[in-house]
Structures are given as structure tokens and as C-alpha cells.
Amino acid sequence: MNRSRTRLITALSSAAALLATAGCGAADMTKQASPFAAPAGVKTVTLSVQSWVGAQANVAVAEQLLKKELGYRVDLVQTDEVPAWDALSQGRVDAILEDWGHPDQEKLYIDEKKTIVRGGDLGVTGHIGWYVPKYWADKNPDVTDWKNLNKYADELRTAESGGKGQLMDGSPSYVTNDVALVKNLDLDYKVVFAGSEAAQITQIQQFAKEKKPFLSYWYQPQWLFNEVPMVEVELPEYTDECAAKDPADIDCAYPTTPLQKFLNADFAERGGDASAFLKKFHWSEKDQNEVSEMIAQQKLTPQEAAERWIERHPDVWKKWLPKD
């Protein structure tokens, strides 16, 4: 996720149990015809699903309410972050419900082409950073300052990192600043990709079970903090000037980002109750984490987790429904 800094990114998780169509790399999904053909008279909404569990939680709750309260058929398309913007512009999907900041795409599609419009705040504030386990930071409080990380590189060596300390990331398919940060801050570390959010969670849980130290790229909100308390490492202060540098020259922390929704411009105007509902969709980090934990930790399907949350919180979601 080019998760905002103005170039951000991130993390992942299993998108199991979601109806998905892959779109990345050389296969330009945005130039294909939509795989969904709605029967005459059927109201249909197509939502983009990003692979991290928080994004899955948003979509699952929206999907269930669109179906059961508003009578829509909902199709889900799994997309990587940048291809999702292309798909949204061309009308292949109608909405992205969680974006961490893609200024280049915003300029192209919102300001210039006017094919995408802003859908408002999701209500969740996102932040990416480097984290160490609290049990280790309590014993070594100076590890939370990046200037002291080289002192601990030997303790963080793994088979994958060779002679350097390991900085664990999620998937190599997402854009992060971490390789640039390691180089530009002259740190004796190697970025090692777990492969996905789910794999990264498994590794963190295993380290925590054995009370081993680790340094990991991670982000908030994320339900795993409830299970494995972590402390953020203080990187050089984020500035807009730093974020505007070439990606290879980034040498500051990630920003704090109010997460945003975006709609296809035509859908926003003609999407009726579905468009109105998605614009009103606004919940808290606590709400999102409740659904996320049911998916990732309790192993419910996204739909099952959404149904449970909906049963418990009518006071929240009824405010999102269009008024008669």
C-alpha cells in the first residue's frame, strides 16, 4: 500500500473466502471486460478487496449490509493497491474502502481525469512503523531509538538475513520505504520478506511464544497488538519534504494517515442507495479490529465475522443506511 507518507504501502493477509480476481504485474486487469454480468433489473455493486485483513473487514461488513439491508448483489474483486485505482477509474470496480494514500493516482484520476471522486474518511487512522516486542524493549529500552539499532543487530540475525540483523517485512509485492531506510540510515540490517501479512503474523507469534527479540515492519490499527504487545522504534521525524524525495532517498518515518474511501465518479453520481451508503460507511479502529480478529485469529470467514459484528452493533451501522 503506498500507505501515505506520501508514498506508503503495506501489509497483507490471506484473502481466503473472498470471491477474487487477481490483478497485478503484466496482466493488466483494468483493460479486461468485467467478469460480472448483472441480470436485467438486478442492482449490483463491485467492491475492491485489498489483501490485508483490515481491508477485508471493511468490505465484508459493507457487503452484508448492501445485500441484506439494501437488496444489492455484491461482487468482490481482489486487487493490489495501484491496479485498484486503475480498475476504479475504468469502472471495473465501484469503490475502494481503505486507501493509505496514493498521491500520484489522486492527481491523475481525481484532479485531471475526474474519473474518481473522494468517498470520505473511513474513520480509521493508519500508521506504519518499525516495532519490537514489549518484553524485549522493557529489558533494552534504548532499542526504541533507531540510532541504537546497530548495537542489537547481532541479536536479530537469522538464517535469511545472513550476517546482518533482520528487519521483517510482509510481502515483496507492496511498496515500503524499508530498504531505502536501512541504506540511508546506515543500518546493519537486511529486509527479509515473510511473504504475506498472514505469514508475518505467524512469525511474530512464534517469536513471541519463544520470547525471542525481533524487529518488524508493522502498522496500526492491527488486532495482533492485543496478543503481542509491541513498541514502536522512533525513526527520524516524518516531514512532507522527506516524503517528497525520490523513494530511494527516503530517510524519515512513515506518516500517520487518516484512511480514505474512493468511488468511481459515475457510480458516485448514479449509484443510488449503494453510493449513499458507502459514503456514510464510517467506523472506528475498535470496530475494524473486532472484525479483523474474528477473521484472522478465530478463523471465521469474512462473511461470518461481518454477520456477528452487525448483530452486535446496530447502533453503528444503521446510521449508514440511506434515509427514505
Side-chain angles (χ1 to χ4, degrees):
M1 320 161 208
N2 220 16
R3 295 195 158 181
S4 169
R5 46 188 168 226
T6 6
R7 291 179 186 100
L8 255 132
I9 98 327
T10 127
L12 316 241
S13 116
S14 59
L18 294 179
L19 176 61
T21 306
C24 58
D28 185 357
M29 55 170 267
T30 66
K31 295 182 180 179
Q32 303 171 19
S34 173
F36 306 116
V42 175
K43 301 186 297 182
T44 301
V45 180
T46 304
L47 301 178
S48 171
V49 185
Q50 276 81 2
S51 59
W52 57 97
V53 71
Q56 293 177 28
N58 305 325
V59 171
V61 169
E63 175 192 17
Q64 294 305 305
L65 291 172
L66 283 164
K67 285 180 177 179
K68 297 181 179 180
E69 297 294 326
L70 299 176
Y72 281 82
R73 190 183 93 175
V74 182
D75 295 317
L76 308 179
V77 178
Q78 184 182 348
T79 52
D80 287 340
E81 290 175 85
V82 173
W85 279 80
D86 301 331
L88 186 63
S89 174
Q90 296 190 13
R92 182 178 174 85
V93 299
D94 297 315
I96 296 171
L97 298 186
E98 180 174 314
D99 186 85
W100 287 66
H102 289 81
D104 292 342
Q105 281 68 34
E106 290 177 37
K107 181 175 184 293
L108 174 63
Y109 291 128
I110 296 176
D111 300 335
E112 297 175 8
K113 292 191 173 184
K114 303 188 186 304
T115 53
I116 293 175
V117 298
R118 303 180 189 279
D121 287 350
L122 175 63
V124 175
T125 298
H127 176 67
I128 295 167
W130 292 359
Y131 291 85
V132 295
K134 185 177 184 299
Y135 56 76
W136 191 45
D138 287 344
K139 295 179 181 179
N140 304 279
D142 64 336
V143 77
T144 59
D145 185 334
W146 72 270
K147 295 175 184 176
N148 300 317
L149 285 177
N150 281 345
K151 172 182 172 182
Y152 295 95
D154 285 347
E155 291 187 51
L156 296 172
R157 283 190 297 178
T158 66
E160 291 78 13
S161 67
K164 298 178 178 292
Q166 174 176 284
L167 170 58
M168 179 167 51
D169 271 45
S171 167
S173 70
Y174 287 85
V175 181
T176 76
N177 292 334
D178 288 356
V179 172
L181 284 168
V182 166
K183 177 178 178 293
N184 296 329
L185 298 180
D186 196 24
L187 296 176
D188 190 25
Y189 283 78
K190 179 181 178 182
V191 176
V192 177
F193 294 96
S196 69
E197 181 188 70
Q200 193 174 7
I201 287 171
T202 297
Q203 290 195 22
I204 289 173
Q205 290 173 323
Q206 186 61 37
F207 280 127
K209 182 179 179 180
E210 299 174 5
K211 294 295 181 182
K212 289 183 177 180
F214 63 83
L215 173 66
S216 184
Y217 162 100
W218 205 232
Y219 49 94
Q220 300 185 55
Q222 228 293 336
W223 63 270
L224 187 63
F225 284 101
N226 298 330
E227 179 182 330
V228 182
M230 289 179 265
V231 180
E232 186 171 6
V233 174
E234 184 176 350
L235 294 169
E237 184 178 3
Y238 169 87
T239 64
D240 290 340
E241 291 75 18
C242 174
K245 293 180 180 178
D246 184 276
D249 296 328
I250 295 290
D251 58 0
C252 64
Y254 294 90
T256 296
T257 308
L259 306 184
Q260 301 296 306
K261 300 169 294 175
F262 293 93
L263 308 179
N264 172 272
D266 186 64
F267 170 77
E269 182 178 352
R270 298 184 174 89
D273 286 348
S275 172
F277 166 81
L278 293 174
K279 290 174 184 176
K280 289 185 175 182
F281 188 106
H282 184 278
W283 63 350
S284 68
E285 295 176 15
K286 182 179 178 181
D287 290 321
Q288 189 189 77
N289 277 341
E290 183 179 338
V291 179
S292 297
E293 188 165 3
M294 285 190 281
I295 297 169
Q297 184 69 350
Q298 300 177 29
K299 306 304 180 184
L300 273 64
T301 67
Q303 291 74 20
E304 290 169 341
E307 288 170 357
R308 289 196 186 181
W309 183 88
I310 288 167
E311 288 176 3
R312 297 170 184 169
H313 301 284
D315 57 318
V316 177
W317 60 261
K318 285 189 175 180
K319 298 175 184 177
W320 307 339
L321 300 178
K323 296 180 180 179
D324 296 330

